[in-house]
Amino acid sequence: MSAGPAAGPLVSVRGVHRTYGTGAATVHALRDVSFDLTPGTMVALVGRSGSGKTTLLNVIGGLDRPDAGTVRVDGVEVTALDEDGLARLRRERVSYVFQTFGLIPVLSAAENVGAPLRLARMPAAERERRVGLLLELVGLAGHAEQRPGELSGGQQQRVAIARALAASPRLLIADEPTGQLDAETGLSVMALLRGVVESEGVTALVSTHDPTMIALADRVIRIRDGRLDGQEAP
């Protein structure tokens, strides 16, 4: 993956279609979707369940391939990458935060955050410094040795965010990151993501339903039946 950082938009989506099934069972998950994301912004992706939000996030992050159209992230054409290239993209440029936290139960908070850095073979001293800085950033410096089962849901999600930031990604994709949290905890997690965008300089694309959380975003993209708001049906 030799392309350097993008000079224009960090993310550029052009004419993306994604269809599942055939015949009467056909589902048009994405229909001719196009937009750009500016570097260093927090963008809320809003739509009802089944609107195409998760499919769009997966296509942008290289977890799914569109049937047509192109996606570029940080100067790299995601839709042209082979499996090795997609793995490098997710290791070096794109990170994920999910509803279900996805932490490794037997590892401490610090070990979970440091796992991507171990895979990248970062030297131990440098890795420990980075992990310490990230746990401090998410307000969990005093919980480094606790395992996920000893943490609240909100704390686990903060660990997941710290882990997602470990390798200094350019794009952070969060799919309903507050879906399993109460309203107050969810708002604090969204406020944390807002702060991360400003302090780490990442671009965050966050799917959510919550109007209070949407208010924290720099921009809102609304999707309905696989089309962005304002698109006309063909």
Side-chain angles (χ1 to χ4, degrees):
M1 194 183 307
S2 59
L10 183 79
V11 177
S12 181
V13 178
R14 290 290 177 272
V16 165
H17 292 259
R18 185 67 172 102
T19 301
Y20 300 100
T22 58
T26 298
V27 175
H28 297 284
L30 298 174
R31 309 177 192 228
D32 195 25
V33 172
S34 299
F35 63 92
D36 293 330
L37 298 184
T38 304
T41 56
M42 180 171 169
V43 180
L45 179 63
V46 180
R48 295 181 178 179
S49 295
S51 61
K53 298 193 306 297
T54 296
T55 299
L56 179 56
L57 295 181
N58 289 345
V59 166
I60 291 171
L63 294 178
D64 194 4
R65 291 188 183 273
D67 301 311
T70 61
V71 175
R72 297 183 72 85
V73 175
D74 198 25
V76 175
E77 187 174 340
V78 177
T79 39
L81 295 176
D82 60 15
E83 290 305 316
D84 287 342
L86 290 171
R88 287 196 300 276
L89 176 86
R90 294 189 292 266
R91 188 167 63 243
E92 299 171 4
R93 300 175 191 253
V94 180
S95 285
Y96 290 83
V97 177
F98 300 102
Q99 279 190 46
T100 51
F101 317 140
L103 302 177
I104 301 170
V106 298
L107 299 184
S108 68
E111 289 167 337
N112 268 283
V113 174
L117 303 179
R118 282 183 177 275
L119 292 174
R121 298 194 171 111
M122 178 180 284
E126 186 180 351
R127 184 176 70 242
E128 288 175 11
R129 282 195 299 271
R130 178 69 175 157
V131 169
L133 286 171
L134 288 168
L135 286 174
E136 185 174 352
L137 176 67
V138 301
L140 292 177
H143 299 270
E145 300 308 315
Q146 290 181 271
R147 295 180 179 181
E150 300 170 318
L151 300 171
S152 69
Q155 289 172 329
Q156 290 184 62
Q157 192 60 295
R158 287 170 178 268
V159 173
I161 291 169
R163 182 184 58 186
L165 295 171
S168 301
R170 296 276 287 154
L171 175 64
L172 180 66
I173 294 175
D175 191 3
E176 299 283 358
T178 61
Q180 295 195 16
L181 306 176
D182 62 75
E184 184 177 353
T185 304
L187 184 56
S188 73
V189 167
M190 287 296 288
L192 170 62
L193 286 171
R194 168 80 263 172
V196 160
V197 167
E198 295 170 0
S199 64
E200 293 280 304
V202 303
T203 298
L205 179 59
V206 184
S207 70
T208 184
H209 300 92
D210 193 320
T212 306
M213 299 171 192
I214 293 166
L216 293 171
D218 297 304
R219 177 185 174 193
V220 177
I221 295 176
R222 298 184 184 276
I223 187 168
R224 180 178 178 182
D225 296 330
R227 297 187 183 91
L228 301 191
D229 257 15
Q231 278 188 294
E232 293 184 5

